């Protein structure tokens, strides 16, 4: 049995992509007998699994209907998530952090401050995603790509959702890469 901090930076649970994958991962952890504290956004439906505690970010005025992809709403929620994670690691003992998507930067800071290892559950390249969504932010992509490279290199394991993404991060020299394709929900 492991004590794990799980960072899920999205409304959870909603019946869409990443929250579905997160729920499946939580089910597996629960069935293994691991104990998880899951920090997620304030929006979403509660789900229950044995040994899993959902901790939601505080509800902030004007922050609702959080959509996938980069947004100022997600930045506000991620900041709340960071402070909740910081509080939890000072009061509880975790074997590792499971960081989904951009929460890897929170996990990286926790590793630097407290020495807690993390795994990076990587659905996409964050730097590429921002440029695709907001072409005027191309200048930010280099900085974000650099930071993403540090996060990849410092992770104990990087879990990309496809071989192409695994290949894209190889130049960052990750310690270990395990491709875990998304489960198709189409029959």
């Amino acid at each position: 049995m492991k004590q794990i901090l799980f960072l899920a930076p999205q409304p959870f649970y909603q019946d869409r992509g990443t929250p579905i994958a997160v729920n499946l991962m939580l089910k597996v952890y629960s069935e293994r007998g691991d104990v998880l504290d899951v920090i997620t956004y304030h929006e979403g439906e509660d789900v229950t699994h044995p040994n899993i505690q959902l901790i939601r970010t505080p509800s902030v005025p004007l922050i609702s209907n959080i959509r996938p992809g980069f947004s100022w709403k997600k930045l506000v929620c991620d900041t709340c998530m960071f402070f909740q994670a910081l509080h939890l690691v000072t009061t509880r003992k975790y074997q590792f952090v499971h960081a989904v998507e951009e929460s890897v930067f929170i996990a990286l800071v926790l590793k630097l401050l407290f020495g807690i290892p993390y795994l990076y559950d990587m659905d996409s390249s964050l730097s590429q995603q921002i440029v695709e969504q907001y072409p005027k932010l191309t200048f930010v992509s280099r900085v974000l790509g650099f930071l993403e490279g540090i996060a990849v290199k410092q992770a104990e394991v990087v879990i990309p959702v496809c071989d192409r993404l695994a290949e894209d991060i190889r130049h960052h020299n990750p310690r270990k890469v395990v491709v875990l394709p998304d489960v198709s929900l189409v029959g």
Side-chain angles (χ1 to χ4, degrees):
M1 174 172 45
K2 293 184 174 134
Q3 182 76 28
I4 302 162
L5 178 59
F6 194 105
L7 304 175
Q10 61 269 145
F12 182 79
Y13 175 78
Q14 289 184 349
D15 203 16
R16 67 181 197 199
T18 301
I20 292 170
V22 165
N23 195 40
L24 291 171
M25 279 184 272
L26 295 179
K27 184 175 186 266
V28 169
Y29 277 127
S30 176
E31 289 171 353
R32 285 184 7 175
D34 295 320
V35 177
L36 280 76
D37 290 329
V38 179
I39 304 176
T40 189
Y41 292 173
H42 62 280
E43 290 185 331
E45 298 173 29
D46 287 339
V47 295
T48 57
H49 297 287
N51 302 321
I52 295 185
Q53 177 185 357
L54 281 182
I55 301 165
R56 296 195 178 275
T57 58
S59 182
V60 177
L62 304 177
I63 307 290
S64 63
N65 194 28
I66 302 165
R67 307 302 319 144
F70 177 77
S71 70
W72 68 272
K73 291 178 182 181
K74 288 193 83 175
L75 285 174
V76 170
C77 291
D78 289 345
T79 301
C80 293
M81 181 178 279
F82 170 74
F83 286 109
Q84 285 182 303
L86 199 57
H87 171 73
L88 286 174
V89 299
T90 61
T91 59
R92 300 179 188 173
K93 179 93 172 129
Y94 296 105
Q95 275 75 39
F96 69 91
V97 176
H98 185 133
V100 177
E101 299 172 339
E102 76 268 12
S103 71
V104 72
F105 299 117
I106 296 170
L108 175 61
V109 171
L110 297 177
K111 179 179 182 179
L112 295 174
L113 293 177
F114 302 99
I116 304 169
Y118 65 91
L119 64 85
Y120 180 7
D121 194 330
M122 187 179 201
D123 282 356
S124 63
S125 168
L126 299 171
S127 57
Q128 290 174 0
Q129 185 183 73
I130 284 180
V131 171
E132 288 171 7
Q133 192 173 354
Y134 301 100
K136 290 182 180 180
L137 294 180
T138 301
F139 68 95
V140 176
S141 84
R142 283 196 177 125
V143 173
L144 193 53
F146 174 76
L147 295 173
E148 189 173 55
I150 293 171
V152 164
K153 190 173 182 81
Q154 290 296 313
E156 296 301 310
V157 180
V158 180
I159 306 172
V161 297
C162 63
D163 291 325
R164 170 64 193 241
L165 195 51
E167 195 56 43
D168 286 350
I169 63 168
R170 294 240 184 256
H171 71 280
H172 294 303
N173 299 315
R175 294 177 186 177
K176 184 175 183 180
V177 175
V178 177
V179 176
L180 185 61
D182 275 343
V183 177
S184 174
L185 299 176
V186 180

